[in-house]
Amino acid sequence: MSVDVHPNHIDQIKQTNVGLVYRLIDQYGPISRIALSKKSQLAPASITKITRELIDAHLVKEAEFPELGFRGRPAIGLKVDSEGWQFLCIRINKTSIVIGLRDLSSHLLVEEELPFSVRSNQSFLGCIVDEIDNFFFRHQCALERLTAISIIINAIIDPINGIIQSSPHYDVKDIPIRKFLHQRTGLPIFLQHCITAWTIAESLYGAGKNYQNLIQLVIDDNVGAGIMTAGQMLHTGNHSVVEIGHTQIEPNGTRCYCGNRGCLETVVSINSILRKACQQAANHPCSLMNTMVVNNEPLTIERLCQAAIAGDPLVTEIIYDAGERIGRIMAILVNIFNPERILIGSPLNNVQHILYPAIQKQISQRSLPGYSQQVDIVATQFDNTGTLPAAALIKQSLYSGKLLIELMQG
């Protein structure tokens, strides 16, 4: 009895195997074909075929390396060939756009942060295209073989179809950015939420490396979470970010841009914490916050953290209260996802001696002991700037084999 194997299944298996072999070469190269076969658990014949195709596409190359304990000629191994391959990373912030050119190993070649606003006589997409064109013009001497464009933004998005559905910072609705840029450039276009992309970057290169089950909490202008379970990002097929920032914690609280009142983001975002410090400063004459308000000095998160480090009781109380509120939500997530590690990405990492115990206390009190006792809380390795998170999308697509197949097919 013959088994009918659908061609799509064969293509998917090939994509998965190619991505696996490329990832192992990237992580362990120079690596021998024998070692590749053992680590991938693929047959030597399959390794030979896949590596030949990768070499022919100039994505992998052979390199000599000495084998420990052996004399004579060096062994021949394989390593990633990133020379000439480049991709463009774009980060769209509230008032700026960051554009970076990187090679296939994610090495940064050039990066610029520029003011960004949608001009009255142009569309959102038109302004982005202008910035890309101007970037290419300024750095045309650095350009070689451009392979893909990755875009990250703090907005409600559909990453599968490449659509920006809405944004708290720009007047946009259902912008088909992937389709538009693909038609303009012919390149693969990747779109993702900043928080999800940042979590992917931490899992590949940062504080989440070698962990299969992660929760990354971001406390900044936006509050959200990226969740990785069994090595896969949760929700990457739809809105992609866990919207804990829009969980209502104060029913009669401040109106949020999402339309609801009293969202977590209206209470513990950096702007909300700074606003609370200003409002309460008058009732605490001994606080450094009171001195700043009286003297009309600008209150920044850096100065707030400095006050907390100096032991200012008002600031310490505000930060601890924020940690408790966050911890109650995190306790629920710990019970659901049982993470090995919680990453915190925030300017408040400068006062983690106040923030982390408050979060940990709530997790310990409100989640299963077997779950809460095994999880540790650490700061992210990277901050919430630059194009490294956007680069992580390209690396992830290479490791999945999706982008590799497109590059191998020319």
Side-chain angles (χ1 to χ4, degrees), residues 33-73:
R33 288 170 175 82
I34 294 173
L36 262 181
S37 179
K38 291 179 180 178
K39 286 184 178 294
S40 66
Q41 296 185 326
L42 294 175
S46 297
I47 293 294
T48 299
K49 183 176 185 298
I50 292 171
T51 55
R52 185 187 300 120
E53 291 176 344
L54 289 170
I55 290 171
D56 289 345
H58 303 286
L59 291 161
V60 163
K61 60 184 178 182
E62 292 184 327
E64 293 184 348
F65 69 102
E67 286 193 291
L68 295 177
F70 293 92
R71 296 182 179 181
R73 293 180 59 186

Side-chain angles (χ1 to χ4, degrees), residues 8 31 83-84 95-96 99 113 135 167 177 179-181 202 217 227 236 239 271 277 307 309 337 378 400 403:
N8 286 346
I31 181 173
E83 187 175 349
T95 58
S96 68
I99 305 178
E113 182 169 8
F135 179 87
S167 165
I177 191 167
K179 180 180 179 181
F180 182 84
L181 289 179
E202 291 289 341
L217 171 67
I227 295 178
T236 49
H239 296 313
N271 288 335
I309 292 169
F337 296 106
V378 300
S400 74
L403 182 56

Side-chain angles (χ1 to χ4, degrees), residues 178-195:
R178 171 181 292 167
K179 180 180 179 181
F180 182 84
L181 289 179
H182 179 71
Q183 289 175 342
R184 294 268 308 200
T185 65
L187 297 172
I189 310 296
F190 299 90
L191 174 69
Q192 193 52 269
H193 194 285
C194 286
I195 291 176

Side-chain angles (χ1 to χ4, degrees), residues 13-292:
I13 292 169
K14 179 181 179 180
Q15 176 183 308
T16 301
N17 289 344
V18 167
L20 172 61
V21 170
Y22 183 88
R23 176 173 64 81
L24 292 172
I25 294 172
D26 192 27
Q27 292 177 339
Y28 298 102
I31 181 173
S32 70
R33 288 170 175 82
I34 294 173
L36 262 181
S37 179
K38 291 179 180 178
K39 286 184 178 294
S40 66
Q41 296 185 326
L42 294 175
S46 297
I47 293 294
T48 299
K49 183 176 185 298
I50 292 171
T51 55
R52 185 187 300 120
E53 291 176 344
L54 289 170
I55 290 171
D56 289 345
H58 303 286
L59 291 161
V60 163
K61 60 184 178 182
E62 292 184 327
E64 293 184 348
F65 69 102
E67 286 193 291
L68 295 177
F70 293 92
R71 296 182 179 181
R73 293 180 59 186
I76 299 296
L78 298 165
K79 68 177 185 178
V80 166
D81 185 1
S82 59
E83 187 175 349
W85 296 97
Q86 297 174 341
F87 59 91
L88 196 69
C89 300
I90 300 171
R91 180 191 191 101
I92 303 171
N93 295 325
K94 183 178 180 180
T95 58
S96 68
I97 186 169
V98 188
I99 305 178
L101 185 67
R102 293 176 180 264
D103 66 22
L104 217 55
S105 67
S106 296
H107 174 69
L108 182 63
L109 303 173
V110 60
E111 184 176 276
E112 292 181 343
E113 182 169 8
L114 307 160
F116 183 74
S117 61
V118 179
R119 296 176 284 280
S120 58
N121 62 337
Q122 274 196 298
S123 67
F124 181 79
L125 290 174
C127 292
I128 291 174
V129 168
D130 281 353
E131 295 295 350
I132 294 172
D133 288 344
N134 291 335
F135 179 87
F136 284 157
F137 179 77
R138 289 191 298 272
H139 303 290
Q140 54 187 311
C141 60
L143 282 171
E144 295 191 48
R145 184 168 37 183
L146 200 63
T147 61
I149 299 175
S150 62
I151 304 161
I152 58 174
I153 183 172
N154 280 319
I156 297 176
I157 64 167
D158 173 356
I160 295 298
N161 296 303
I163 296 171
I164 301 173
Q165 296 174 326
S166 65
S167 165
H169 308 309
Y170 298 97
D171 184 17
V172 297
K173 183 172 177 59
D174 297 331
I175 299 292
I177 191 167
R178 171 181 292 167
K179 180 180 179 181
F180 182 84
L181 289 179
H182 179 71
Q183 289 175 342
R184 294 268 308 200
T185 65
L187 297 172
I189 310 296
F190 299 90
L191 174 69
Q192 193 52 269
H193 194 285
C194 286
I195 291 176
T196 300
W198 188 2
T199 306
I200 293 168
E202 291 289 341
S203 71
L204 290 174
Y205 323 108
K209 190 175 182 180
N210 299 323
Y211 287 87
Q212 293 290 298
N213 301 289
L214 293 168
I215 296 177
Q216 177 170 323
L217 171 67
V218 175
I219 313 163
D220 211 319
D221 293 339
N222 299 98
V223 177
I227 295 178
M228 178 170 284
T229 178
Q232 299 294 319
M233 287 300 300
L234 184 70
H235 292 168
T236 49
N238 45 52
H239 296 313
S240 79
V241 67
V242 179
E243 289 285 5
I244 64 167
H246 298 287
T247 303
Q248 188 184 69
I249 61 170
E250 291 184 348
N252 299 316
T254 303
R255 174 78 67 180
C256 180
Y257 63 84
C258 74
N260 292 330
R261 285 189 176 275
C263 292
L264 181 67
E265 191 166 296
T266 67
V267 178
V268 303
S269 68
I270 296 302
N271 288 335
S272 300
I273 288 173
L274 292 175
R275 187 163 52 248
K276 186 175 182 180
C278 285
Q279 291 170 348
Q280 297 189 8
N283 298 324
H284 296 78
C286 296
S287 171
L288 293 173
M289 298 299 100
N290 182 273
T291 303
M292 290 183 196

